[in-house]
Amino acid sequence: MITTNRPTGPVRAVEILLAGARMQVLLVRSHPLIPVVTVVQPVVFFLVVTARHPATADRADLLFAVLLTSLWGGTLWTAGGILRRDMADGTLGRNLVSASDPRLVVIGKCLGSCLLVLALLACTGGTIAVVTGIHVPLAALPWLVAGLVFVALSGTALGYLLSALFVLVRHPVQLTSALVFPVYILGGLLIPTSALPAPLAALARGISLYWAQRLLSSAVSGDGATLPALLVLGALTIAYFLVGNVFFVRVVHRARVKGTIDLG
């Protein structure tokens, strides 16, 4: 009898997630969009915002807003296009009929994209903080680390949702472009929600990046809003995963049953 020590259950699921993340990092690390989103864009945004508000004392809040805004753009163009790229490369069919849960592969790829963009943004943000003299208290570091972990999970959930959505719609490129600026405006990142009409300002509460900014900013300022922001961010992240799963099930159904999605 031949026996193997091949891991099963949760260990195997983690292996699949990590393999998918590693594969995605290798695929997108040399994409010309990566340095634009993670270096050029945040630097330009920060210079523009601080030029309009030169006397503000809360530059850490502005820096977090700039970094999260860039993260949204990176999530749209890297994680959001994963399934569309699989279709173009002819690998979508193999992913859907493999022995492993195809959701784990897609989520792992979204995680890889998000971690790559977030890590590069953290380096850019740290450089900006050092150059501009933004001070981060040592007591805030545990909350900042927890916040970044939740931001990575939220970005992964958004990527999972968007990657399935972009397969289901007819014009994914146009939809990607159309989603960029509404979040910039409604997310309370670069434009304060107090400057928006009340109905529009309320929409910010359903955007995870709004709570991510509140979490990171409150961690540095110590205003006591850290835990509530963390809880809401976690709840929205779970909601994004659930909605993304609904979309992904529809993708699988259309591909396997209806045959209305090209498997490549």
Side-chain angles (χ1 to χ4, degrees), residues 46-59 62 190-192:
F46 187 77
L47 291 175
V48 171
V49 173
T50 52
R52 295 185 61 185
H53 306 280
T56 182
D58 196 4
R59 293 203 167 193
L62 294 177
L190 298 181
I191 300 176

Side-chain angles (χ1 to χ4, degrees), residues 66 68 76 113 139 148 156 196 214 225-226:
V66 164
L68 291 171
L76 275 175
S113 291
L148 290 176
T156 301
L196 299 174
R214 293 196 63 183
T226 311

Side-chain angles (χ1 to χ4, degrees), residues 179-192:
L179 287 174
V180 173
F181 292 102
V183 174
Y184 286 3
I185 296 172
L186 302 178
L189 299 175
L190 298 181
I191 300 176

Side-chain angles (χ1 to χ4, degrees):
M1 179 183 295
I2 298 176
T3 60
T4 64
N5 294 323
R6 188 178 184 85
T8 59
V11 175
R12 178 58 178 165
V14 172
E15 285 186 348
I16 295 172
L17 287 172
L18 294 179
R22 179 178 179 274
M23 181 190 308
Q24 187 66 14
V25 169
L26 294 176
L27 285 174
V28 303
R29 64 182 180 179
S30 59
H31 195 285
L33 184 66
I34 295 297
V36 174
V37 171
T38 60
V39 180
V40 177
Q41 188 180 75
V43 170
V44 172
F45 278 176
F46 187 77
L47 291 175
V48 171
V49 173
T50 52
R52 295 185 61 185
H53 306 280
T56 182
D58 196 4
R59 293 203 167 193
D61 186 49
L62 294 177
L63 178 58
F64 290 135
V66 164
L67 296 178
L68 291 171
T69 299
S70 299
L71 177 63
W72 169 243
T75 300
L76 275 175
W77 292 104
T78 56
I82 285 175
L83 290 180
R84 298 293 303 185
R85 283 191 291 272
D86 284 347
M87 291 175 60
D89 296 339
T91 58
L92 180 59
R94 282 175 286 174
N95 289 340
L96 295 182
V97 300
S98 65
S100 303
D101 190 337
R103 292 173 297 184
L104 294 176
V105 178
V106 177
I107 293 173
K109 289 183 177 182
C110 294
L111 177 63
S113 291
C114 185
L115 289 178
L116 175 63
V117 173
L118 187 59
L120 294 174
L121 284 173
C123 294
T124 301
T127 303
I128 293 174
V130 171
V131 171
T132 58
I134 297 175
H135 175 66
V136 177
L138 291 178
L141 291 181
W143 279 112
L144 285 179
V145 172
L148 290 176
V149 170
F150 271 77
V151 168
L153 292 175
S154 182
T156 301
L158 279 170
Y160 178 49
L161 187 160
L162 292 170
S163 64
L165 176 63
F166 291 161
V167 173
L168 296 173
V169 299
R170 290 187 176 182
H171 306 288
V173 176
Q174 290 80 356
L175 180 59
T176 302
S177 302
L179 287 174
V180 173
F181 292 102
V183 174
Y184 286 3
I185 296 172
L186 302 178
L189 299 175
L190 298 181
I191 300 176
T193 54
S194 58
L196 299 174
L200 295 180
L203 296 177
R205 274 62 177 178
I207 299 176
S208 63
L209 296 181
Y210 168 81
W211 296 101
Q213 182 187 3
R214 293 196 63 183
L215 169 61
L216 298 175
S217 299
S218 62
V220 174
S221 63
D223 61 6
T226 311
L227 183 57
L230 183 66
L231 294 175
V232 178
L233 177 59
L236 287 174
T237 298
I238 294 174
Y240 292 162
F241 271 120
L242 293 176
V243 175
N245 191 62
V246 172
F247 288 161
F248 190 80
V249 169
R250 292 189 63 184
V251 170
V252 174
H253 179 72
R254 288 190 181 184
R256 290 180 174 178
V257 179
K258 291 188 174 182
T260 55
I261 291 180
D262 183 13
L263 297 177

